[in-house]
Amino acid sequence: MNVLSCENVGINFGGLKAVNDFNLTIDEGELIGLIGPNGAGKTTVFNLITGVYTPTEGTIKLQGVPINGQKPHLIVHQGIARTFQNIRLFSHLTVLENLKIAQNKDMSYSPFSGMLRLGKYWQEEKESTEKAIEILDVFDMTKFAYQAANSLPYGAQRKLEIARAMATDPKLLLLDEPAAGMNPTETDELMDTIMLIRNEFGITTLLIEHDMRLVLGICERLTVLNYGEILAEGNPREIINDPKVIEAYLGKGE
Amino acid sequence: MNFLLQLLNGLQIGSIYALVALGYTMVYGIALLINFAHGEIIMIGAYTVVFSIQLIFAGTDIPYVFAIIPTVIICTLVGMLIERLAYKPLRNSPRISNLITAIGVSLLLQNTMMKVFGAQSRSVPKIFDHKPIEVFGANISISTIVTIVVTLVLTISLQIFMKKTKYGKAMVATSEDYGAASLVGINVDSTLTLTFAIGSALAGVASLLYVSSYPQAAPLMGSMLGIKAFTAAVVGGIGLIPGAVLGGLILGILEALTKAFISSRLSDAIVFGLLILVLLIRPGGLLGEDHKEKV
Amino acid sequence: MPREKRITYLINLSLIILLFAIITILEAAGIFAGYMMSILRLVTINIILATSLNITVGNLGQITLGHAGFMSIGAYTAGLFAKNIGLAGVPGYLIGLLLAGLFAALFGVAIGVPVLRLRGDYLAIVTLAFGEIIRVLIEYFDFTGGAQGLNGIPRMQNFTVMYFVAALSVALMYSIMTSRHGRAILSIREDEIASESSGINVTFYKTMAFTLSSFFAGIAGAMHAHNIGTIGAGDFGYNRSFDILVMVVLGGMGSFTGAVLSATVLTIVPEMLREFADYRMIIYSLLLIIIMIFRPEGLLGRKEFHITNVINRLKKKFGKSPPKPVSVSPKPDAAEKFDRTDSSSKGRGT
């Protein structure tokens, strides 16, 4: 069964077609890469899927249910989580709090229950902490639980952002350039983390990345975007030998 | 006929709002700071008019309107001083600290003036000693005409200054990005000081025009005037010179017409109501654009 | 409820009662005269004002300059209620307070829903405008007493009641801000976009914060009305809003203990300076500027003072193994979130 399907999706910004006729189907458990030169519209695709932008054309479906036009937080509730190109953490809050905020949607005690510290508050807070610690354990970050997010090393901050996305309990995870700014060792560690998410939790993942080592190392299928349109699709080996793709990245050879 | 007269009244007070709004809009556009102390510059200007007439011009043949010279000088100096002493140390601080500092400077100026010159208001001698001019049967005071014309001339000159001169272009560049501006060799510190200087000089002119029609100087006079002028700048689209003028004139006319035909007590509520209405419909103001944060 | 939590609550409760006992003893001994007690009553009101504004400014991260407007709605609601319906004694007073809070909260929702989508300084100027509109309208209508103000509101200057209303208000605000709802509000301050993409309904939580803030401002307004007996719309102008904002900023935005502390200090110190009445406001404004230049994050920054942390530290010192920290305060970094990125993404730093 496919988790995500984009059907002829497009968006216009005042006459400029940032993304046009975008089609993509992702099956459950797949790990797919979205690549393309700078300015090709990759992040725009993420913004369309997560509801930051509303597509002017086409339909986006999550497990067969259309989601376009919905507010971003409701799309999260339905099971799509993301990370950002430039890390966006709740910097002054602790690692644990970062995760618990993502779990807010699964908690139900009322403001009054919180104000008066009724039984439901204690129960749900306890469950939420336990669940957050579980996720941190998987990411090997439990030691950071009570530290402020902005005090973490860079690689750990990237990992925290993924862990926070996982805390929303997603069906589909969108990673926007997770390896940006990382050194080779950190990238290796990141690749392990992404594989872990796939193997341990079985989460379907779509990622944007420029680091070809990472893309070729873990992605099963690639979609190449250029000038807002799909240029090529296929398995990584085919893609890197595709003359159209090489041309898009390097320019036409003489 | 009464309507026409009220319209002119509105244009006059609107022109003063516009001049003050220009100062707000320049400082905000370049330093991203609501300079709450800007209204107090008007107050200081008004006192300068009073004292320069009393101490220098009274008894001489020089027309009182020459009080504009000391007034503009003092206002400019005070504006630059405030920037250097209070705002410059906070250049890289959180925005709210800047706002609080501006409120602090405003309170400081009000209370210092109150301590030095007393809380009661001082009357200002007539500045434009000329009979009203009759146009289509209505008497229009000379200060109304001067105010409108001066505002028009200053706005156009400012626009030309920003577009054509090296300093104006430096200001525009600084408003885009401090770091990039300094990389291309712009002295950000002096550009910011210049911005405050021009804004305060305009406020100096505005203060003379203001007291020529409302002949009183008091320590708290600048507060509400300042807030309304800032409102005007926001209504027009903050950071934009034409926006400040448009906002100022609309606010002035609306206020004059409300006072004349609806209720003088409600005029403030209607003016602020306009601000809310405009921002809800066009969050960037009438001439501005709404910038959304990029993901 | 976990055991160590229960202990914390008991300690805090005993401290609140202890402080009250000290004040009562000092009053009975004649050390705190009527004048001092009248200042302390003001302190209780200002503590509620500062902590309630802290919810919007410190926790939600939105600058509002119209807090006095909500205070005035509370004051007039309580005043009119007491004069027209009037229930006697402390229960009547408390009902008036509750009504005042609810009415102010109603205004909070009505104003918050449309304006909270504005950012940064736009929100600041619009809330200032709303505050002024409320002031003008109160002066315009007759049922509020118009420009003459509302006189003859039954006095209620019982310090015990005011003290415990303030303590309860702060406790309730603090509890909700450390619950899941409070965390959601904090996440908006930290990063609105990340908050949205973590599933937080940003509009809902912004409105909740603003409403809570107005509710408690309304209660403080009601206490003020009963404390002085005569209110006028002019008492609730933007200068009042500035005063409250200054308390929040000086205490450290986002810190409840900071807000309580600075509300106390900023109420008492100006009264002390009364001997230098002429220079009082000058000193006050100079202090404001100097503190902003040298300690822009406020006295406490974002830190909260926890008595249990002190006890744990003492225990550690004397060799006992400390229980796990009860609550983890964020690092006391400079309040850099209020940086310049919110309304326009200009590059800063020279």
Side-chain angles (χ1 to χ4, degrees):
Chain A
M1 179 182 169
N2 62 54
V3 173
L4 179 83
S5 68
C6 300
E7 294 159 14
N8 313 318
V9 174
I11 185 168
N12 270 312
F13 291 121
L16 179 81
K17 281 200 163 151
V19 170
N20 189 27
D21 202 19
F22 181 81
N23 285 285
L24 179 67
T25 310
I26 307 177
D27 286 332
E28 196 166 334
E30 274 193 298
L31 177 47
I32 293 187
L34 181 62
I35 64 169
N38 284 324
K42 303 182 295 292
T43 300
T44 309
V45 168
F46 271 26
N47 286 340
L48 286 167
I49 297 174
T50 54
V52 176
Y53 301 145
T54 306
T56 43
E57 290 149 43
T59 323
I60 300 170
K61 289 180 184 161
L62 179 69
Q63 295 185 321
V65 185
I67 52 164
N68 43 335
Q70 291 194 23
K71 291 204 167 128
H73 73 269
L74 290 178
I75 290 180
V76 179
H77 291 198
Q78 291 178 48
I80 300 182
R82 75 176 289 181
T83 65
F84 296 90
Q85 228 175 90
N86 43 342
I87 313 178
R88 286 179 176 274
L89 291 172
F90 306 128
S91 316
H92 297 93
L93 307 184
T94 65
V95 167
L96 189 65
E97 283 169 327
N98 268 269
L99 264 64
K100 287 177 83 170
I101 287 164
Q103 291 165 352
N104 190 57
K105 69 180 182 66
D106 299 323
M107 297 161 88
S108 63
Y109 67 80
S110 69
F112 293 100
S113 197
M115 221 181 223
L116 303 171
R117 300 276 138 112
L118 303 181
K120 206 168 176 197
Y121 163 89
W122 296 106
Q123 189 201 333
E124 285 191 4
E125 284 291 323
K126 189 164 160 260
E127 283 166 11
S128 166
T129 306
E130 283 166 4
K131 203 183 140 210
I133 295 283
E134 251 172 57
I135 295 173
L136 288 177
D137 274 339
V138 173
F139 284 83
D140 193 21
M141 290 181 74
T142 316
K143 56 180 179 293
F144 295 129
Y146 291 96
Q147 284 189 28
N150 62 358
S151 70
L152 265 50
Y154 183 80
Q157 290 195 15
R158 281 261 174 221
K159 242 162 81 174
L160 172 58
E161 212 190 5
I162 299 175
R164 187 183 65 194
M166 292 299 299
T168 66
D169 205 6
K171 300 185 178 93
L172 172 69
L173 181 64
L174 307 179
L175 304 175
D176 197 345
E177 293 195 31
M182 284 190 169
N183 63 34
T185 332
E186 286 171 330
T187 307
D188 282 341
E189 209 187 309
L190 178 75
M191 282 163 75
D192 292 343
T193 309
I194 296 173
M195 290 308 285
L196 186 85
I197 291 168
R198 225 273 297 265
N199 301 335
E200 193 101 337
F201 300 94
I203 306 277
T204 314
T205 308
L206 174 65
L207 63 88
I208 295 176
E209 191 47 71
H210 283 300
D211 188 326
M212 287 317 268
R213 195 166 62 92
L214 183 143
V215 172
L216 297 177
I218 61 175
C219 293
E220 290 145 359
R221 198 146 63 81
L222 296 181
T223 295
V224 187
L225 211 56
N226 195 26
Y227 295 115
E229 297 194 33
I230 292 179
L231 186 70
E233 277 173 296
N235 74 48
R237 292 294 146 205
E238 287 165 17
I239 292 293
I240 54 164
N241 294 317
D242 189 325
K244 278 187 301 186
V245 176
I246 297 170
E247 189 191 314
Y249 270 94
L250 302 175
K252 212 180 171 102
E254 288 300 311
Chain B
M1 197 44 54
N2 187 24
F3 181 79
L4 188 73
L5 204 66
Q6 293 306 333
L7 204 65
L8 272 170
N9 270 343
L11 272 178
Q12 182 205 15
I13 186 71
S15 301
I16 291 166
Y17 286 151
L19 279 181
V20 183
L22 283 173
Y24 274 106
T25 224
M26 285 180 69
V27 167
Y28 190 89
I30 293 166
L32 278 184
L33 166 74
I34 304 180
N35 182 13
F36 270 107
H38 195 63
E40 272 57 54
I41 305 270
I42 306 275
M43 178 266 291
I44 287 174
Y47 274 96
T48 315
V49 172
V50 172
F51 288 111
S52 51
I53 289 177
Q54 256 178 32
L55 303 174
I56 308 170
F57 301 112
T60 66
D61 289 339
I62 313 169
Y64 288 171
V65 68
F66 280 94
I68 191 85
I69 297 167
T71 304
V72 167
I73 293 173
I74 298 275
C75 286
T76 309
L77 288 178
V78 172
M80 287 162 73
L81 204 68
I82 292 173
E83 197 272 332
R84 283 281 147 149
L85 293 181
Y87 299 147
K88 190 166 172 245
L90 284 162
R91 183 115 353 125
N92 295 312
S93 302
R95 204 154 164 173
I96 192 151
S97 323
N98 286 284
L99 190 77
I100 300 286
T101 310
I103 293 172
V105 173
S106 163
L107 289 176
L108 180 67
L109 293 175
Q110 284 173 11
N111 289 291
T112 311
M113 293 301 272
M114 206 182 288
K115 172 73 195 131
V116 178
F117 299 116
Q120 75 286 10
S121 58
R122 282 164 192 261
S123 60
V124 183
K126 221 172 166 49
I127 290 172
F128 298 111
D129 207 7
H130 194 287
K131 280 200 196 100
I133 299 171
E134 207 182 288
V135 182
F136 304 123
N139 285 330
I140 301 164
S141 83
I142 194 86
S143 69
T144 304
I145 297 167
V146 171
T147 304
I148 296 171
V149 172
V150 167
T151 302
L152 203 70
V153 171
L154 284 177
T155 307
I156 293 169
S157 330
L158 186 65
Q159 187 73 310
I160 293 171
F161 172 83
M162 295 296 278
K163 288 251 156 78
K164 301 283 178 201
T165 67
K166 186 176 129 190
Y167 300 106
K169 285 177 187 162
M171 281 181 186
V172 177
T174 308
S175 78
E176 288 292 325
D177 190 319
Y178 285 8
S182 64
L183 276 181
V184 296
I186 292 168
N187 185 336
V188 172
D189 279 345
S190 52
T191 304
L192 282 167
T193 310
L194 182 66
T195 308
F196 273 82
I198 294 176
S200 308
L202 291 172
V205 177
S207 64
L208 182 108
L209 295 172
Y210 186 77
V211 293
S212 75
S213 308
Y214 308 88
Q216 276 187 336
L220 301 181
M221 65 182 281
S223 181
M224 194 40 122
L225 180 66
I227 285 178
K228 281 197 191 151
F230 180 68
T231 301
V234 176
V235 165
I238 193 133
L240 305 168
I241 289 171
V245 176
L246 179 70
L249 294 181
I250 290 177
L251 226 68
I253 292 171
L254 183 70
E255 192 179 272
L257 294 182
T258 310
K259 275 186 176 155
F261 300 111
I262 301 175
S263 155
S264 62
R265 285 195 293 160
L266 280 182
S267 74
D268 283 359
I270 289 177
V271 163
F272 288 124
L274 173 79
L275 168 80
I276 292 162
L277 203 69
V278 167
L279 284 187
L280 292 183
I281 299 167
R282 287 189 61 90
L286 290 175
L287 301 181
E289 288 167 38
D290 182 23
H291 289 286
K292 264 200 159 174
E293 194 175 353
K294 220 179 155 198
V295 179
Chain C
M1 198 189 293
R3 199 177 144 264
E4 67 255 38
K5 270 288 176 193
R6 200 172 305 164
I7 295 173
T8 314
Y9 290 158
L10 281 176
I11 292 174
N12 287 336
L13 185 65
S14 352
L15 283 175
I16 289 170
I17 293 172
L18 183 70
L19 180 64
F20 176 72
I22 293 172
I23 295 172
T24 316
I25 291 167
L26 285 173
E27 190 194 5
I31 298 171
F32 279 3
Y35 177 55
M36 188 63 198
M37 291 313 287
S38 75
I39 295 175
L40 289 181
R41 285 200 301 274
L42 282 182
V43 170
T44 61
I45 295 170
N46 284 338
I47 282 177
I48 300 181
L49 287 172
T51 44
S52 61
L53 185 63
N54 183 43
I55 293 178
T56 1
V57 176
N59 294 349
L60 181 63
Q62 306 287 333
I63 307 168
T64 65
L65 297 177
H67 209 54
F70 296 112
M71 185 189 176
S72 72
I73 288 170
Y76 274 90
T77 307
L80 289 171
F81 172 75
K83 283 188 72 169
N84 296 321
I85 299 164
L87 298 170
V90 175
Y93 175 74
L94 293 179
I95 291 171
L97 255 55
L98 199 63
L99 270 179
L102 289 175
F103 216 67
L106 207 67
F107 269 76
V109 179
I111 294 173
V113 168
V115 305
L116 281 168
R117 61 199 180 91
L118 298 171
R119 283 163 199 274
D121 297 329
Y122 287 104
L123 183 67
I125 192 74
V126 164
T127 45
L128 190 154
F130 262 114
E132 287 304 293
I133 291 176
I134 292 173
R135 185 181 61 76
V136 171
L137 290 182
I138 287 176
E139 278 179 357
Y140 183 74
F141 290 115
D142 291 329
F143 73 95
T144 56
Q148 276 77 48
L150 194 63
N151 309 312
I153 302 166
R155 291 289 191 96
M156 178 67 179
Q157 300 182 320
N158 183 334
F159 179 72
T160 312
V161 175
M162 294 176 79
Y163 179 88
F164 284 103
V165 168
L168 183 68
S169 301
V170 176
L172 291 179
M173 283 185 259
Y174 183 76
S175 324
I176 195 164
M177 281 304 133
T178 44
S179 76
R180 74 179 180 101
H181 304 285
R183 276 197 304 268
I185 290 168
L186 287 177
S187 78
I188 297 172
R189 172 190 79 192
E190 294 292 314
D191 191 323
E192 199 170 320
I193 288 169
S195 170
E196 205 171 36
S197 66
S198 300
I200 300 295
N201 185 344
V202 169
T203 318
F204 174 79
Y205 278 110
K206 274 187 175 179
T207 314
M208 182 196 271
F210 199 65
T211 309
L212 262 173
S213 187
S214 342
F215 176 81
F216 285 101
I219 287 189
M223 288 166 75
H224 169 79
H226 284 289
N227 185 38
I228 63 168
T230 305
I231 51 176
D235 309 344
F236 308 103
Y238 52 84
N239 276 319
R240 183 99 190 198
S241 299
F242 289 177
D243 280 349
I244 307 168
L245 182 66
V246 166
M247 289 175 189
V248 174
V249 176
L250 283 190
M253 275 171 292
S255 165
F256 276 91
T257 28
V260 170
L261 211 68
S262 75
T264 311
V265 171
L266 287 182
T267 313
I268 295 175
V269 169
E271 293 297 331
M272 301 260 177
L273 289 174
R274 234 175 236 291
E275 294 163 44
F276 315 93
D278 288 352
Y279 297 95
R280 189 168 72 112
M281 285 304 289
I282 299 177
I283 298 171
Y284 182 77
S285 44
L286 264 177
L287 267 180
L288 205 61
I289 299 168
I290 291 168
I291 292 177
M292 280 302 109
I293 291 176
F294 293 103
R295 199 171 163 77
E297 73 273 26
L299 297 173
L300 285 194
R302 284 206 177 82
K303 265 187 290 189
E304 295 288 0
F305 176 80
H306 288 287
I307 189 72
T308 31
N309 290 356
V310 177
I311 293 172
N312 286 340
R313 217 164 291 156
L314 288 177
K315 275 187 185 164
K316 207 175 193 172
K317 207 172 171 186
F318 295 107
K320 279 191 196 168
S321 68
K324 247 172 108 181
V326 179
S327 91
V328 183
S329 310
K331 284 271 180 299
D333 283 44
E336 66 202 11
K337 174 52 201 166
F338 289 89
D339 55 11
R340 298 154 183 279
T341 54
D342 51 2
S343 69
S344 72
S345 41
K346 293 180 175 182
R348 290 288 142 175
T350 46

